Amino acid sequence: AEAGDRPDSGDDWGAVGVTHKRYREYINTEEKWLGSHPRHWAKKPLWTLFRRVKRQGFESEELLSIYREHGVIPKSSREDNFNKPSDDLSSYQLVEPGDLAVNKMKAWQGSVAISEHRGIVSPAYHVYTPLHSDNSRFLHYLMRCDRYITGYLSMSKGIRVNQWDLQPEYHSRMPVLLPPLDEQVAIASFLDHETAKIDALIAEQQRLIELLQEKRQAVISHAVTKGLNPNAPMKDSGVEWLGEVPEHWLTTQLGKLCVDVADGPHYSPSYVEDGVPFLSARNIKQDRWDFADLKYVSGTDCDEFDKRVVPAVGDVLYTKGGTTGVARVVDFPERFQVWVHVAVLKLRKSVADPRFIAYALNSIGCYEQSQLFTRGATNQDLGLTRMILIQLALPPLEEQKEISSRLDSQTKSIGDLLSKVEASLRLLEERRSALISAAVTGQIDVRGLVPEGAEQ
């Protein structure tokens, strides 16, 4: 129906729930991704609210980045931003408070925001100066909500997903929903208040995840350096990070425990829709395989791979590029291939249990050694010749297996807790996104719900 007392039944509405009242009348938009909106709201094309600008020559200004999660923030405020800026910043673009900044290659992932900072961004970004007198905070929430991200996706073009560009000629005509100004202020204030509460809960869950991960790391590190017997006689290992180890244990280098250490061909293969599964560093986690974005290679590429190494059950895969220093035992019978960023450790099974070696490599001490041996500023690599120098403590084979079995049980318990916390975190993030999308597109009416003193 063109009008009615219920908003359209998008995913955002279902996730928010029915505790919020609805507007009395709605009308449908022409854009399928936008759906319906309250009848009294206006709809204007983006070009009437913003004009694209390219202000360059401000290389002394602070570097800014656009994050999907945080919007426009100073690059220096995040420790996880490893993108190296150009040596020459003269072509970088000035962004001022109130400007709309867009990462044109990641708009469809949500890298769009109204800036609250002055600084410079990549010359590849799109920057728009405001022409409007609307509420910038409301527009910030609107431009980043799930429905608009779907809109950016529909306007982005390219051969590969990670190379899709937001097309400016379509983006400029993108419809912008505009409630009356007082309503914009009320919606923005409501979302500021409600998302702050959800963000506090998210931060608690994230901290709990960090604590559980630290606990798992500590349990592993203690078991592979001290063993399971707290009364075992100890000796100085002669290795600083190991400290004391059980008297009957050896200290050795990783290379001495391997029959062979190799990696895949040193080139990026062509991906195909269906072929032989292709493992890279991003698929290997300490506690699981992550096959969410598993790639496949053709039989022709496999011929080249087979000249290097084919992983087999019982081998240990060890990441040597991207995220370095993560180990996992191959426990699947299916034929896989590995890229250069993954090393295959073929162990001497008479002296080394694969599960124990993987646990040892994931311990704090071995991980820190792997980072010391990693080279490269942007394309980091843990070379094979350096990797084999990693030192670890080695109990007798049967004790290795006993320790591995104990760790399997202990890390599973911690992993089960982690899974529950991560599920709670995902629900909170989904609720946050759904609440924002529902409020800024008028699927719920939040007028009168703004706490006293919170209005801007």
Side-chain angles (χ1 to χ4, degrees):
E2 183 179 277
D5 64 353
R6 183 178 180 84
D8 60 280
S9 56
D11 291 341
D12 48 15
W13 172 255
V16 170
V18 294
T19 57
H20 297 294
K21 66 180 181 179
R22 302 181 290 271
Y23 286 91
R24 192 170 63 86
E25 288 188 302
Y26 289 81
I27 59 173
N28 287 326
T29 63
E30 297 175 357
E31 298 79 15
K32 185 177 181 181
W33 58 266
L34 187 53
S36 65
H37 64 80
R39 180 177 287 278
H40 69 285
W41 286 22
K43 188 178 73 166
K44 297 181 179 179
L46 182 78
W47 64 265
T48 64
L49 303 174
F50 294 93
R51 174 173 53 84
R52 189 175 170 193
V53 292
K54 201 159 191 176
R55 299 171 296 224
Q56 298 176 320
F58 294 87
E59 52 265 47
S60 62
E61 295 283 347
E62 183 173 29
L63 278 168
L64 304 177
S65 291
I66 309 176
Y67 277 80
R68 293 187 294 272
E69 301 85 359
H70 312 292
V72 178
I73 58 173
K75 185 177 185 295
S76 60
S77 67
R78 301 290 302 181
E79 295 180 354
D80 56 355
N81 189 336
F82 304 111
N83 293 330
K84 189 177 184 298
S86 171
D87 293 332
D88 180 8
L89 300 178
S90 61
S91 63
Y92 277 53
Q93 303 176 82
L94 179 68
V95 173
E96 299 200 63
D99 284 354
L100 171 65
V102 180
N103 182 335
K104 66 189 181 83
M105 294 185 69
K106 293 186 178 179
W108 60 277
Q109 295 177 327
S111 291
V112 176
I114 305 291
S115 181
E116 295 181 349
H117 302 276
R118 176 186 169 96
I120 52 176
V121 296
S122 165
Y125 290 178
H126 291 168
V127 179
Y128 298 82
T129 189
L131 306 173
H132 61 83
S133 56
D134 293 284
N135 183 270
S136 289
R137 195 70 187 149
F138 169 82
L139 290 174
H140 175 76
Y141 281 120
L142 179 70
M143 297 292 185
R144 290 167 54 77
C145 78
D146 288 345
R147 293 201 179 193
Y148 273 71
I149 291 172
T150 301
Y152 302 135
L153 178 61
S154 70
M155 298 170 194
S156 298
K157 307 294 181 184
I159 299 173
R160 292 185 179 179
V161 172
N162 289 332
Q163 296 177 349
W164 283 353
D165 271 358
L166 178 62
Q167 304 293 295
E169 61 270 27
Y170 298 116
H171 186 211
S172 66
R173 299 197 293 269
M174 190 175 206
V176 179
L177 293 180
L178 293 172
L181 184 58
D182 61 341
E183 216 168 312
Q184 295 179 30
V185 173
I187 292 170
S189 298
F190 169 80
L191 289 175
D192 283 345
H193 183 264
E194 293 300 313
T195 57
K197 292 192 295 185
I198 297 174
D199 288 343
L201 293 173
I202 288 174
E204 288 179 6
Q205 299 299 93
Q206 290 172 331
R207 180 55 184 154
L208 183 53
I209 288 172
E210 290 173 1
L211 290 172
L212 287 169
Q213 290 173 335
E214 289 171 6
K215 179 178 176 60
R216 180 174 61 194
Q217 201 81 349
V219 166
I220 291 171
S221 297
H222 185 273
V224 299
T225 57
K226 309 302 177 188
L228 303 178
N229 181 6
N231 300 315
M234 307 296 282
K235 68 177 180 182
D236 184 359
S237 67
V239 178
E240 183 178 355
W241 78 266
L242 281 174
E244 288 193 333
V245 298
E247 197 172 62
H248 62 292
W249 287 24
L250 303 175
T251 56
T252 188
Q253 292 180 330
L254 178 61
K256 295 179 180 179
L257 303 176
C258 299
V259 176
D260 188 22
V261 179
D263 55 16
H266 293 207
Y267 71 93
S268 298
S270 299
Y271 300 132
V272 295
E273 290 295 324
D274 187 28
V276 178
F278 168 85
L279 282 178
S280 63
R282 64 177 173 271
N283 302 123
I284 302 170
K285 310 297 181 186
Q286 282 192 21
D287 58 335
R288 68 190 188 281
W289 301 105
D290 184 358
F291 294 150
D293 62 345
L294 185 64
K295 308 293 185 185
Y296 297 87
V297 294
S298 68
T300 303
D301 276 317
C302 285
D303 292 340
E304 290 299 317
F305 275 69
D306 290 348
K307 293 175 184 176
R308 300 283 295 189
V309 62
V310 179
V313 174
D315 289 344
V316 174
L317 300 188
Y318 197 41
T319 61
K320 61 182 291 290
T323 302
T324 60
V326 178
R328 188 156 180 81
V329 180
V330 176
D331 54 5
F332 39 74
E334 188 175 2
R335 184 190 187 209
F336 274 72
Q337 299 294 348
V338 293
W339 190 23
V340 60
H341 282 175
V342 180
V344 181
L345 311 180
K346 293 189 174 291
L347 299 172
R348 295 167 55 204
K349 303 289 180 61
S350 60
V351 295
D353 174 61
R355 290 182 301 154
F356 178 85
I357 299 304
Y359 277 126
L361 290 174
N362 287 326
S363 69
I364 295 170
C366 282
Y367 178 78
E368 289 178 349
Q369 287 183 80
S370 74
Q371 302 312 292
L372 290 173
F373 287 135
T374 296
R375 301 286 186 268
T378 54
N379 297 316
Q380 295 191 324
D381 182 68
L382 173 59
L384 298 181
T385 56
R386 297 186 297 275
M387 177 189 302
I388 60 176
L389 301 178
I390 289 175
Q391 294 178 304
L392 61 158
L394 190 72
L397 185 60
E398 288 306 312
E399 192 173 350
Q400 292 178 43
K401 294 178 180 179
E402 184 182 356
I403 291 170
S404 299
S405 296
R406 179 74 64 85
L407 285 175
D408 286 346
S409 175
Q410 292 176 324
T411 57
K412 183 182 183 304
S413 298
I414 297 172
D416 290 344
L417 284 174
L418 267 170
S419 295
K420 291 178 181 178
V421 177
E422 288 168 348
S424 298
L425 178 60
R426 285 192 298 273
L427 286 174
L428 285 169
E429 292 171 338
E430 289 169 6
R431 176 172 174 79
R432 186 185 192 280
S433 296
L435 182 66
I436 292 171
S437 190
V440 296
T441 60
Q443 308 310 305
I444 56 176
D445 182 357
V446 301
R447 293 173 297 180
L449 298 181
V450 182
E452 186 175 348
E455 289 205 25
Q456 300 170 348

